[in-house]
Amino acid sequence: MKVFRSFLILIFFCAAVTVPAQNNTLRVPDSSVIRTAIAENWFDQPLSALREHRTELRSNAIGQIFQIRMEETRDMFSIIVAPETKVSVDLYTENGVERKSVDEYPADAAGSWILMRDSSNGKALRIRYYFLADSDVYIQFSPSGNKTAVADYVIDGCFAVRGAPVGVPFEYFYTASFAQVMSLTAKLLPWNYADIHPEQYHSNLVVMGEIQKNLSRIKSTKDACYDELGKPAYVSTGKERTVSAEDAKNNILTLNHSGFVKWVIDGLIVPLAGSATFIGPLHRPTISVSPLGTAGIKSQTENLFHSLDWTRNLAAAKLSIQARKNYLYEQSGVDVNIEPFSAELGERGIASVAGYVKNSGYEVKYMKPLLYVLAVTEPTYFYLAAVRRTVVPSDGSPEFKVFDSSAVIFPYFDKDGQFGCTVFENGTELTLAQFCKKYPNSFIHLTRVLSSDRFNPL
């Protein structure tokens, strides 16, 4: 059986497009030569035999070192071929702390290859390739009923592609190089999501840096913003408001969440237009509801769509200024409504992804993979977020949903190609994880704003 499997691998290895193993465009360390050498002793052996195997170190054709090892979990065991990675650590000695570089072999480092098998019967389950600095992104291949493999492209637990037939036996991936995998799946998998250029995020980093410099000046104040002339005004009415003499003396900005996102957008608009955005047009409704429906009746006493209208109109205003043409929200195309995922891997297995819901946005749990895709495909944009929460009144009246918070989100990739995302809300800097934790079970509606090096906030 092993000889026949090796013969199959050889046939499809030769039949596939010939690509040098080390010549992959992502410069991923490649272990195909090593895997070809160890296939018989590692990939087909029963679990009992693998438990006796010692960890091995081998080098590929250009001298990159890989570690071969086996790891077990309750229901599965994995054969891991992982590249050497240099990690800096602090070594505490009697003479103090010494910084040293040590060798590690992470299973999820770029270049790692993993064969996963069922502990109960030894059957192969999937083969996974890691290829980016962000280990939440990977591709994997699984055997299917028609004897050919199927492919998945996964981003933070969400499937950008799931179960795409690749036309070769599963065993082909025992020895296939990453360059061959890319060539074979060029039209099947969204490799554009791996096309990362850190220099494209310069404008976003400039704006982020200026916001960070000003955070200490911002005081959270109810119903507070600044008008088109930079004078203190109320968000709700646009009328003039007063600030304390102490705040004025210390150049303190008094803002609520709506005033804060306006302050950010005004910082981009003023260098182009000479003045900031008017408050009145930002309240223009962008959604209509039946006056007899639940939302229509509740809207008579509550502003259910404030932050949705506010962020949409702000984004449309910024687009109008940069295009030198007046756009109402409906003409602007500023809403983010892409649906890049077909399914997600959760605690209960694979389930469908809801995707974009009109006038609601996305479930907060999809923010990280969604913003990853947006960072890759729209590197010069950042996003205004309107948060839709469910409110349960304390008086026992029916719960209702309301857009009552807003924030500014900057996704980017650093110089090492690692995904990052910074959120600013009402003068506070948050990680994306902190932001999502703050609004569990909520919906986040995003509008896109083109970034710029010319950022001059009030």
Side-chain angles (χ1 to χ4, degrees):
M1 180 63 181
K2 292 176 184 176
V3 174
F4 178 67
R5 175 173 290 176
S6 298
F7 180 64
L8 271 179
I9 294 172
L10 180 62
I11 289 175
F12 281 94
F13 186 88
C14 296
V17 177
T18 303
V19 183
Q22 306 303 329
N23 187 26
N24 63 76
T25 56
L26 298 180
R27 299 182 179 180
V28 178
D30 193 272
S31 62
S32 57
V33 171
I34 296 170
R35 286 183 272 118
T36 300
I38 68 171
E40 186 171 345
N41 289 333
W42 280 89
F43 301 160
D44 288 312
Q45 295 295 319
L47 178 56
S48 57
L50 288 171
R51 284 171 174 158
E52 303 300 320
H53 279 25
R54 292 183 178 180
T55 297
E56 296 182 22
L57 292 179
R58 297 199 181 209
S59 63
N60 64 12
I62 60 174
Q64 294 171 317
I65 306 298
F66 286 78
Q67 184 187 74
I68 303 98
R69 66 181 186 269
M70 190 274 289
E71 293 183 357
E72 286 186 71
T73 58
R74 186 179 65 177
D75 302 317
M76 183 176 67
F77 65 98
S78 301
I79 296 94
I80 300 168
V81 184
E84 179 183 84
T85 302
K86 300 291 185 182
V87 179
S88 295
V89 298
D90 290 330
L91 178 64
Y92 290 84
T93 68
E94 59 182 11
N95 298 320
V97 180
E98 183 181 348
R99 194 75 170 171
K100 295 196 68 174
S101 179
V102 299
D103 298 335
E104 290 193 357
Y105 304 88
D108 57 0
S112 288
W113 178 98
I114 305 175
L115 168 62
M116 304 175 190
R117 295 168 59 187
D118 191 307
S119 296
S120 63
N121 55 28
K123 289 184 178 180
L125 299 173
R126 66 189 69 91
I127 288 172
R128 183 173 294 175
Y129 289 78
Y130 287 96
F131 54 93
L132 291 176
D134 196 318
S135 60
D136 286 332
V137 183
Y138 56 84
I139 57 170
Q140 61 187 18
F141 301 91
S142 307
S144 66
N146 61 2
K147 298 184 180 180
T148 61
V150 294
D152 302 325
Y153 193 113
V154 183
I155 302 175
D156 194 42
C158 290
F159 290 81
V161 169
R162 176 171 174 251
V166 293
V168 299
F170 174 75
E171 290 83 359
Y172 170 76
F173 298 101
Y174 281 23
T175 57
S177 71
F178 187 69
Q180 290 169 323
V181 168
M182 288 190 72
S183 178
L184 181 67
T185 61
K187 296 182 179 180
L188 293 175
L189 301 181
W191 288 110
N192 60 307
Y193 292 167
D195 189 18
I196 297 167
H197 302 276
E199 69 278 4
Q200 293 182 316
Y201 304 92
H202 174 73
S203 294
N204 267 353
L205 295 176
V206 168
V207 177
M208 286 169 54
E210 288 300 314
I211 292 173
Q212 289 165 337
K213 290 178 185 177
N214 283 276
L215 292 181
S216 61
R217 298 174 52 216
I218 296 173
K219 178 192 289 187
S220 179
T221 305
K222 186 178 180 180
D223 197 20
C225 69
Y226 291 81
D227 66 15
E228 71 280 3
L229 299 177
K231 296 181 178 179
Y234 291 104
V235 169
S236 58
T237 63
K239 293 181 178 180
E240 184 179 350
R241 63 183 175 88
T242 58
V243 298
S244 70
E246 183 179 359
D247 286 343
K249 177 182 177 181
N250 294 321
N251 199 23
I252 296 297
L253 293 169
T254 49
L255 300 165
N256 75 341
H257 67 91
S258 300
F260 177 78
V261 295
K262 182 182 187 299
W263 173 78
V264 172
I265 298 302
D266 285 344
L268 294 170
I269 286 179
V270 169
L272 298 175
S275 63
T277 50
F278 288 81
I279 296 172
L282 301 182
H283 288 289
R284 180 179 177 272
T286 63
I287 177 175
S288 60
V289 295
S290 169
L292 301 180
T294 303
I297 294 172
K298 193 67 180 178
S299 294
Q300 296 175 14
T301 56
E302 300 277 349
N303 190 346
L304 301 183
F305 305 103
H306 166 68
S307 62
L308 178 66
D309 295 336
W310 190 266
T311 53
R312 279 174 161 175
N313 289 320
L314 270 172
K318 169 59 169 60
L319 175 64
S320 297
I321 294 298
Q322 72 193 36
R324 298 183 179 182
K325 179 180 178 180
N326 288 328
Y327 285 98
L328 295 178
Y329 151 71
E330 294 84 356
Q331 307 160 330
S332 67
V334 295
D335 278 359
V336 174
N337 54 17
I338 63 171
E339 298 197 8
F341 306 114
S342 59
E344 66 170 319
L345 181 61
E347 295 180 356
R348 298 182 180 181
I350 296 174
S352 297
V353 170
Y356 176 77
V357 179
K358 186 177 180 180
N359 296 320
S360 290
Y362 301 87
E363 290 184 60
V364 70
K365 65 180 180 178
Y366 300 128
M367 278 296 101
K368 183 179 178 182
L370 173 68
L371 288 163
Y372 181 98
V373 170
L374 290 171
V376 174
T377 57
E378 302 182 359
T380 56
Y381 286 84
F382 65 92
Y383 303 90
L384 304 185
V387 182
R388 188 186 194 193
R389 299 184 304 116
T390 299
V391 177
V392 181
S394 58
D395 60 5
S397 58
E399 65 181 37
F400 61 94
K401 300 182 186 299
V402 58
F403 280 100
D404 62 354
S405 297
S406 54
V408 188
I409 301 180
F410 293 87
Y412 61 92
F413 287 90
D414 66 18
K415 60 182 177 60
D416 298 318
Q418 185 71 45
F419 174 68
C421 193
T422 299
V423 182
F424 296 101
E425 182 188 30
N426 203 11
T428 302
E429 181 175 349
L430 304 170
T431 65
L432 181 60
Q434 289 171 329
F435 178 73
C436 293
K437 185 177 180 180
K438 183 177 180 180
Y439 297 108
N441 305 314
S442 297
F443 274 77
I444 310 296
H445 191 282
L446 301 177
T447 50
R448 56 174 61 84
V449 176
L450 183 66
S451 193
S452 172
D453 291 349
R454 299 178 65 189
F455 181 66
N456 185 25
L458 176 68

